[in-house]
Amino acid sequence: MAQATAPDTGISTMLASLRAEIEGREASLIREWATIAAWAEANVVEAAESTATTGDGFVDTGLPIAGDGAPLVSEFALMELIAVLGRSPAGGRAYVAKVLGCAWRLPNVWAAVMAGRLAPWRAVRIAKLVAPLSAEAAAFVDRNLFNASGVGWAQLERLITEAILRFDPVRAEAERAAAADQRYLDIDEPNAQGLAHISGLLDAADARDLHDAITRRAALLGSMGSMGSMGSMGSAASLDVRRSQALGDLARADLALDLDGAPARRATLNVHITDTTLTGDNPVARWNDRPISTEQVREWLGTATTIVVRPVIDLADHIPVDSYEIPDRHRVSVELRDHTCRFPRCGRKAKTCDLDHAKPHRKGGPTCPCNLVPLCRRHHRAKTHSRWRYKVTKPGTYTWTSPNGFLWQVDHRGTHPLRT
């Protein structure tokens, strides 16, 4: 482990100054947004038919700039606002639409911006993603954002997907069917080195089956390769090469079969449903941590020959083991609890991460979910070989300290800067 050194006072001062500049810029932008919202309130048009003729035969038409459920805004007044803002007509209209989309359709997001808890640029992106949604769906997203300052974009997209499933199921099913029609698999002609590129878009369950089959066969090829002295003809190539070889092996194994029909399918799906899903009152199920439609679950299960029901894993399980090695049940529990690497704003899936002992095992730290934290390899190295440190404040909640003393809290709601 690298020897700890004192923080660099000069670097710490520069970073603090930079943070102050960012906060000042955001405070100015927040004041601009508040003024735009106040301007809009003063220029609401109740209905397009009620606008007055201004002269030369022109009618000041109300525009639905902020989306479904929001008031109309005077078209001519908007032109003036955009000019004052110094933006192009198209760019200015898009900018004002996002600001008013926050103000009128996302009150919780708007309140977070006005209170300085949410950076305006994050609110703009949220408003853009929510813009096509109905008023009810937008309100659902807004209610469920909890603390928008730390929300990840993947989490937000899942929330929007769930909102569409709940409030516009016809659209959701149409989009699912249209997306399914885009599936393809292309195999290019071999190049001069005798290699061919493959690209495709698969059904998620098909892709998982293929991934599992390739992974299993690649591992087998590697173990066979390590037994070369025993006469095995296995491969000692890299994992990527063995995975490509495994796909060819799977194809040849299928071609060697004498089948009247397609081989039986075996899919493993970790689907979370409730009693309201079974009765048809709730159209949303979950595959791992992603919302999916119950119709998609029915389609997948309709093609499966075997269905296995597994017991729910108790995330409150704190039964340690004596060894340093981590049992599979503990890894699954940690993955279900934390989902991603717990370094600030890192979105790498927990399934691909190392599990770090928060209190080192050599110092008496137990091998138990309560003492295990998923960290991707890069951030695991940062914690081990630099002055990045974290503390577990409660299960699933961590406080990180940077080398120069800046603090972040990471939990199920995202990443939140803390004041020192």
Side-chain angles (χ1 to χ4, degrees):
M1 181 181 297
Q3 184 176 1
T5 58
D8 186 321
T9 303
I11 294 296
S12 181
T13 301
M14 283 190 288
L15 292 175
S17 176
L18 180 60
R19 173 179 278 182
E21 290 290 340
I22 293 171
E23 290 174 346
R25 184 169 66 245
E26 290 185 350
S28 175
L29 189 56
I30 289 169
R31 292 192 295 271
E32 178 180 317
W33 280 29
T35 303
I36 290 174
W39 167 92
E41 292 289 349
N43 287 278
V44 167
V45 175
E46 295 300 331
E49 294 77 15
S50 68
T51 54
T53 301
T54 60
D56 296 328
F58 291 103
V59 176
D60 188 356
T61 305
L63 298 176
I65 188 171
D68 181 47
L72 304 178
V73 175
S74 165
E75 181 181 19
F76 289 164
L78 179 62
M79 293 177 184
E80 180 184 32
L81 173 66
I82 291 172
V84 170
L85 290 172
R87 295 174 177 264
S88 68
R93 179 168 174 169
Y95 171 65
V96 173
K98 293 167 188 172
V99 173
L100 296 184
C102 285
W104 286 340
R105 297 194 345 133
L106 302 170
N108 290 328
V109 171
W110 180 259
V113 173
M114 293 296 105
R117 300 193 309 272
L118 175 63
W121 71 267
R122 284 182 172 272
V124 164
R125 186 166 177 184
I126 292 171
K128 181 178 180 180
L129 290 171
V130 173
L133 302 185
S134 67
E136 294 81 3
F140 172 82
V141 172
D142 186 57
R143 288 194 305 271
N144 284 277
L145 278 177
F146 297 106
N147 188 334
S149 62
V151 69
W153 302 122
Q155 177 186 350
L156 178 61
E157 289 174 357
R158 291 194 295 271
L159 187 58
I160 289 173
T161 298
E162 181 171 350
I164 295 173
L165 287 169
R166 286 182 180 276
F167 297 99
D168 197 351
V170 174
R171 170 187 168 186
E173 182 57 24
E175 289 181 351
R176 188 185 75 84
D181 286 341
Q182 303 303 311
R183 289 173 291 181
Y184 74 95
L185 183 66
D186 286 338
I187 302 177
D188 294 345
E189 292 296 321
N191 61 21
Q193 288 75 38
L195 304 173
H197 283 280
I198 297 178
S199 62
L201 181 66
L202 281 67
D203 175 87
D206 290 338
R208 175 54 59 182
D209 285 345
L210 182 60
H211 169 80
D212 290 346
I214 288 174
T215 299
R216 183 170 57 250
R217 190 169 287 259
L220 178 61
L221 288 172
S223 64
M224 291 171 61
S226 66
M227 296 186 295
S229 61
M230 299 174 63
S232 170
M233 299 299 291
S235 171
S238 69
L239 177 60
D240 283 340
V241 170
R242 284 186 279 119
R243 285 177 62 83
S244 70
Q245 293 171 330
L247 185 58
D249 284 352
L250 288 171
R252 283 184 288 274
D254 184 78
L255 292 174
L257 298 176
D258 183 13
L259 299 174
D260 294 329
R265 179 182 188 185
R266 182 180 182 274
T268 300
L269 301 175
N270 296 311
V271 179
H272 303 264
I273 60 176
T274 65
D275 54 347
T276 55
T277 306
L278 297 175
T279 60
D281 296 327
N282 179 8
V284 182
R286 296 187 184 277
W287 177 38
N288 294 333
D289 59 348
R290 295 181 177 275
I292 59 173
S293 69
T294 52
E295 186 58 36
Q296 179 70 79
V297 176
R298 292 189 187 96
E299 183 175 310
W300 283 343
L301 295 180
T303 60
T305 57
T306 303
I307 300 174
V308 178
V309 178
R310 301 184 187 277
V312 174
I313 295 175
D314 183 4
L315 298 186
D317 177 19
H318 295 292
I319 302 175
V321 296
D322 294 332
S323 65
Y324 177 79
E325 289 74 23
I326 299 167
D328 288 344
R329 69 180 187 278
H330 284 182
R331 170 171 281 278
V332 172
S333 179
V334 172
E335 291 170 357
L336 290 175
R337 182 191 68 204
D338 289 334
H339 298 298
T340 63
C341 169
R342 294 290 81 191
F343 189 86
R345 296 193 175 91
C346 182
R348 187 173 292 275
K349 292 289 187 182
K351 289 184 178 180
T352 65
C353 291
D354 301 333
L355 292 187
D356 180 56
H357 284 72
K359 181 179 180 180
H361 188 263
R362 66 179 182 278
K363 296 182 178 180
T367 299
C368 170
C370 62
N371 191 50
L372 297 175
V373 183
L375 296 177
C376 69
R377 185 57 54 85
R378 174 180 295 179
H379 295 136
H380 195 178
R381 291 181 63 251
K383 182 259 185 181
T384 303
H385 300 295
S386 77
R387 288 186 290 110
W388 276 100
R389 294 291 180 266
Y390 69 84
K391 291 183 179 179
V392 182
T393 57
K394 63 181 180 180
T397 300
Y398 312 91
T399 299
W400 280 86
T401 304
S402 73
N404 283 289
F406 292 88
L407 302 177
W408 290 264
Q409 178 174 295
V410 180
D411 57 26
H412 69 286
R413 297 176 180 176
T415 299
H416 319 283
L418 300 176
R419 295 294 182 188
T420 57

